[in-house]
């Protein structure tokens, strides 16, 4: 059965959900003493039809996130007529799919191993923007590089002309408060900027924890259901 929040989301229009999220981001930024203009909201449209992306684009959204290559590639082709939009690949990326993802994604948020850097090291006119994903859990099966292996991977990205490092990305663990997890990510971001001062962006925060992420310096939010509503069940 849907809970109260799910029912409330379902009663709002897409425009209302977007406006509510934007207001929440502004409030959280103000509380953190930051301008809301410093924060990029990426609307994650996994499992939603391309038509929803068109509706969001008409409402002014320009940054969209996907985490499955096959679905992302199909949407990028179908929506190639939409101007000024950026696809963010936010899911785990197989090395063998990396070059294909780079043909449509403007930003990859999930670089987490040397082999992926190598796979993306393809000469291109403009470097591919990217984040290095950090695993904030103790589970090695989760996506992301271990914190103690972060800087060597960052150095490899910095030495790769085909890539431009924006900063770090992470997902908060389920067994830890989001604020403390994002505080750890912020500290790791500081280690990265000591090597690369321009790589100061932080991709963190989803529908349920974006306020905590903003409080700890997040510059890029990956928001799904708070804007799109509940995801359709994949066929």
């Amino acid at each position: 059965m849907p809970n109260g929040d799910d029912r409330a989301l379902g009663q709002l229009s897409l425009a209302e959900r977007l406006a509510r999220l934007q207001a929440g981001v502004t409030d959280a930024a103000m509380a953190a003493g930051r301008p809301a203009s410093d924060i990029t909201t990426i609307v994650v449209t996994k499992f939603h039809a391309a038509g929803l992306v068109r509706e969001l684009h008409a409402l002014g959204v320009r940054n969209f996130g996907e985490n499955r290559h096959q679905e992302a590639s199909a949407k990028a082709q179908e929506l190639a007529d939409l101007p000024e939009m950026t696809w963010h690949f936010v899911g785990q990326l197989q090395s063998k799919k990396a070059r294909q993802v780079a043909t449509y994604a403007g930003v990859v948020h999930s670089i987490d191993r040397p082999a992926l850097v190598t796979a993306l090291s393809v000469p291109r006119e403009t470097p591919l923007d990217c984040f290095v994903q950090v695993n904030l859990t103790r589970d090695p099966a989760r996506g992301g590089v271990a914190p103690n292996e972060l800087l060597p991977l960052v150095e490899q990205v910095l030495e790769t002309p085909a890539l431009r490092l924006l900063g770090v990305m992470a997902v908060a663990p389920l067994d830890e408060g989001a604020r403390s997890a994002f505080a750890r990510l912020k500290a790791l971001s500081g280690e990265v900027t000591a090597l690369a001062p321009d790589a100061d962006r932080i991709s963190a925060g989803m529908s349920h924890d974006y306020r905590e992420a903003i409080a700890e310096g997040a510059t890029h939010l990956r928001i799904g259901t708070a804007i799109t509503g509940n995801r359709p069940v994949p066929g």
Side-chain angles (χ1 to χ4, degrees), residues 199-223:
D200 59 354
R201 262 102 0 138
I202 299 175
S203 173
M206 298 186 287
S207 293
H208 62 287
D209 58 15
Y210 72 86
R211 293 178 181 273
E212 292 89 341
I214 290 172
E216 294 298 337
T219 60
H220 290 66
L221 311 175
R222 308 180 306 274
I223 307 295

Side-chain angles (χ1 to χ4, degrees), residues 183-198:
R184 290 195 286 125
L185 182 63
K186 184 178 182 180
L188 291 168
S189 173
E191 295 181 19
V192 171
T193 56
L195 288 177
D198 291 338

Side-chain angles (χ1 to χ4, degrees), residues 77-144:
Q77 292 181 47
E78 184 173 346
L79 301 167
D81 60 300
L82 295 180
E84 301 177 356
M85 66 183 297
T86 300
W87 290 105
H88 297 250
F89 193 85
V90 301
Q92 296 312 116
L93 180 54
Q94 298 177 27
S95 297
K96 64 182 180 180
K97 300 289 181 62
R99 294 188 182 187
Q100 298 173 56
V101 168
T103 63
Y104 58 82
V107 189
V108 172
H109 289 241
S110 49
I111 290 184
D112 62 358
R113 59 195 185 279
L116 193 50
V117 178
T118 300
L120 289 168
S121 300
V122 180
R124 51 178 63 91
E125 292 184 9
T126 304
L128 176 66
D129 286 341
C130 65
F131 290 85
V132 170
Q133 182 176 356
V134 183
N135 185 352
L136 297 178
T137 77
R138 295 183 179 181
D139 181 0
R142 294 288 297 273

Side-chain angles (χ1 to χ4, degrees), residues 9 14 17-22 24-25 28 39-46 48 52 56 61 63-66 88 90 109 182 203-214 218-229 231:
L9 274 177
L14 182 63
R17 291 194 296 267
L18 178 61
R20 186 170 74 166
L21 188 282
Q22 291 170 331
V25 169
I39 299 167
T40 298
T41 298
I42 301 155
V43 183
V44 180
T45 50
K46 174 183 177 182
H48 287 282
L52 183 75
L56 287 163
V61 176
N63 291 279
F64 296 90
E66 291 284 336
H88 297 250
V90 301
H109 289 241
F182 293 143
S203 173
M206 298 186 287
S207 293
H208 62 287
D209 58 15
Y210 72 86
R211 293 178 181 273
E212 292 89 341
I214 290 172
T219 60
H220 290 66
L221 311 175
R222 308 180 306 274
I223 307 295
T225 55
I227 294 174
T228 64
R231 289 174 178 153

